[in-house]
Amino acid sequence: MVREEVAGSTRILQWKCVESRVESKRLYYGRFILSPLMKGQADTIGIAMRRALLGEIEGTCITCATSENVLHEYSTIAGIEESVHEILINLKEIVLRSNLYGVRTASICVRGPKYITAQDIISPPYVEIVDTTQHIANLTEPIDFFIELQIKRNRGYRLKSTNDSHDGSYPIDIVSMPVRNVNHSIHSYGNENEKQEILFLEIWTNGSLTPKEALYEASRNLIDLLIPFLHAEEEDMNLKENENIPPFSFQDRLINLKKKKEIPLKCIFIDQSELSSKTYNCLKRSNIHTLLDLLSHSQEDLMKIKYFRIEDVKKILGTLQKHFVRNLPKKNFSF
């Protein structure tokens, strides 16, 4: 349970997971409550969280399949029970877990007769197959089956283009949506003068992350989207009619604000600095989200993080010096 005192009020918000279960490898369920909220606040939070959970969380999926000697997507191959189109649909359903960015390559190379499942995918390092029993194809004859796959981390849903197929390469509908469904409901209590609400939030995920992880990720994404409004100061830009507004740079605004006043370290998030996606994801998995979190770890602590290298720590030290004129606390480890 996390408690947060609301500014200017004696109310204390509390959230709690009241139910959690694993229905299958590809279906997790969680039910959460947040209270006490003032009248109307539960709906505001519920709608925003539902949109963030369904549209703002990134997932990893297979985006393209390449195989030689295939005339078109709707062709059939002797010795394979499924058509090429059916195999592509099965590949679209494969659930993957990864924090890597960029396009990664995987492959399937087997000889029939064989019942091909997700377990037969030769995946790159740090890409995990959530359910290895997912069906792909059934080879009924002793033939060789080789297919190359492209894996990418993204968000949302995007239909493949019908004009993208060429040289045996077949794009797959991108379904980067780890959250399957979200429901929110509201329970009101109290008298008419002091009406209060409890928000109930139900989350179903595909197994690549838990509902609690999804809730945390969606909350962080909402904060990231709104943080510019929190720290932006009104400026008289003296813009004339039809004059273009200069592009907004949060890094520039952050530097200007630092010159004018001190920003609380807990309000500066690590994804607002010049860190690579790999470094950011390693820190996030270690519950390091703000500058305050980062400065509570020494260089030695960071080197204990899985997949972290000396170069990553040096990059962090350079970023801290460049933008914040700060150093990590030192223990026994130094360069």
Side-chain angles (χ1 to χ4, degrees):
M1 182 179 295
V2 175
R3 299 188 175 206
E4 181 181 353
E5 189 166 351
V6 180
S9 173
T10 58
R11 294 183 306 117
I12 297 179
L13 289 180
Q14 302 176 0
W15 77 271
K16 183 179 181 180
C17 179
V18 294
E19 186 179 358
S20 178
R21 63 176 182 266
V22 178
E23 298 185 355
S24 69
K25 289 183 179 180
R26 285 177 280 156
L27 185 58
Y28 286 35
Y29 171 80
R31 188 165 181 253
F32 307 87
I33 61 172
L34 177 65
S35 68
L37 296 165
M38 297 175 64
K39 185 177 180 180
Q41 288 183 338
D43 210 27
T44 300
I45 297 174
I47 293 172
M49 287 303 301
R50 186 177 190 276
R51 292 183 65 89
L53 284 161
L54 292 174
E56 296 297 330
I57 297 182
E58 295 183 334
T60 304
C61 64
I62 299 172
T63 61
C64 185
T66 303
S67 181
E68 298 178 354
N69 303 322
V70 177
L71 297 178
H72 54 81
E73 179 180 338
Y74 297 97
S75 62
T76 58
I77 302 175
I80 302 180
E81 190 173 292
E82 293 82 3
S83 67
V84 175
H85 178 68
E86 291 172 324
I87 294 174
L88 294 177
I89 292 177
N90 293 335
L91 289 171
K92 182 178 71 173
E93 299 296 326
I94 301 295
V95 179
L96 303 173
R97 180 190 293 118
S98 172
N99 285 316
L100 297 178
Y101 287 87
V103 177
R104 309 288 169 168
T105 303
S107 63
I108 302 174
C109 186
V110 297
R111 181 170 179 79
K114 182 177 176 59
Y115 187 82
I116 304 176
T117 65
Q119 187 175 7
D120 297 302
I121 298 177
I122 304 172
S123 59
Y126 316 129
V127 175
E128 179 185 350
I129 300 171
V130 172
D131 184 2
T132 56
T133 65
Q134 285 187 262
H135 173 68
I136 296 177
N138 184 23
L139 306 184
T140 59
E141 297 181 11
I143 61 173
D144 293 324
F145 180 88
F146 175 78
I147 189 169
E148 188 175 279
L149 308 173
Q150 286 187 1
I151 296 174
K152 189 175 181 181
R153 183 175 175 83
N154 212 319
R155 69 179 181 89
Y157 181 87
R158 186 166 69 251
L159 290 172
K160 65 183 178 182
S161 172
T162 55
N163 299 323
D164 285 347
S165 301
H166 61 280
D167 299 331
S169 179
Y170 297 93
I172 299 174
D173 295 338
I174 297 176
V175 187
S176 303
M177 300 174 65
V179 177
R180 286 187 169 188
N181 192 20
V182 180
N183 284 335
H184 85 274
S185 57
I186 302 168
H187 172 70
S188 300
Y189 64 96
N191 55 44
E192 291 298 327
N193 296 328
E194 295 184 5
K195 206 76 169 178
Q196 292 186 325
E197 298 177 338
I198 300 175
L199 172 65
F200 291 85
L201 202 60
E202 293 181 291
I203 303 172
W204 290 262
T205 68
N206 66 359
S208 63
L209 77 174
T210 66
K212 186 176 290 187
E213 290 171 336
L215 182 63
Y216 187 87
E217 186 73 18
S219 302
R220 284 287 298 111
N221 289 339
L222 277 178
I223 292 172
D224 290 344
L225 289 172
L226 298 174
I227 204 73
F229 294 110
L230 181 63
H231 294 304
E233 292 183 341
E234 294 184 3
E235 295 179 359
D236 184 9
M237 305 177 72
N238 296 321
L239 294 177
K240 298 178 181 179
E241 188 175 359
N242 299 326
E243 185 177 351
N244 292 329
I245 299 177
F248 176 80
S249 169
F250 189 83
Q251 195 65 49
D252 293 341
R253 179 60 59 85
L254 184 61
I255 294 173
N256 291 334
L257 284 174
K258 281 174 57 59
K259 294 177 181 178
K260 297 179 181 180
K261 62 181 180 180
E262 187 67 22
I263 301 175
L265 299 181
K266 65 179 181 180
C267 294
I268 303 176
F269 297 95
I270 59 172
D271 55 355
Q272 297 164 4
S273 55
E274 300 172 346
L275 298 179
S276 66
S277 58
K278 171 184 173 295
T279 302
Y280 168 68
N281 286 320
C282 287
L283 293 174
K284 187 172 66 172
R285 286 196 298 269
S286 300
N287 290 323
I288 300 175
H289 304 283
T290 67
L291 185 58
L292 182 63
D293 297 335
L294 183 59
L295 291 175
S296 65
H297 292 72
S298 66
Q299 299 177 24
E300 185 181 42
D301 294 333
L302 295 184
M303 286 302 299
K304 294 178 182 179
I305 296 177
K306 192 175 181 180
Y307 308 132
F308 232 62
R309 303 171 302 170
I310 292 178
E311 291 77 10
D312 300 321
V313 179
K314 287 182 177 179
K315 179 66 175 178
I316 289 174
L317 292 174
T319 300
L320 290 175
Q321 277 293 325
K322 179 180 178 182
H323 295 296
F324 307 105
V325 197
R326 292 178 180 270
N327 276 317
L328 294 173
K330 292 185 178 181
K331 289 184 179 179
N332 299 325
F333 187 92
S334 61
F335 299 112

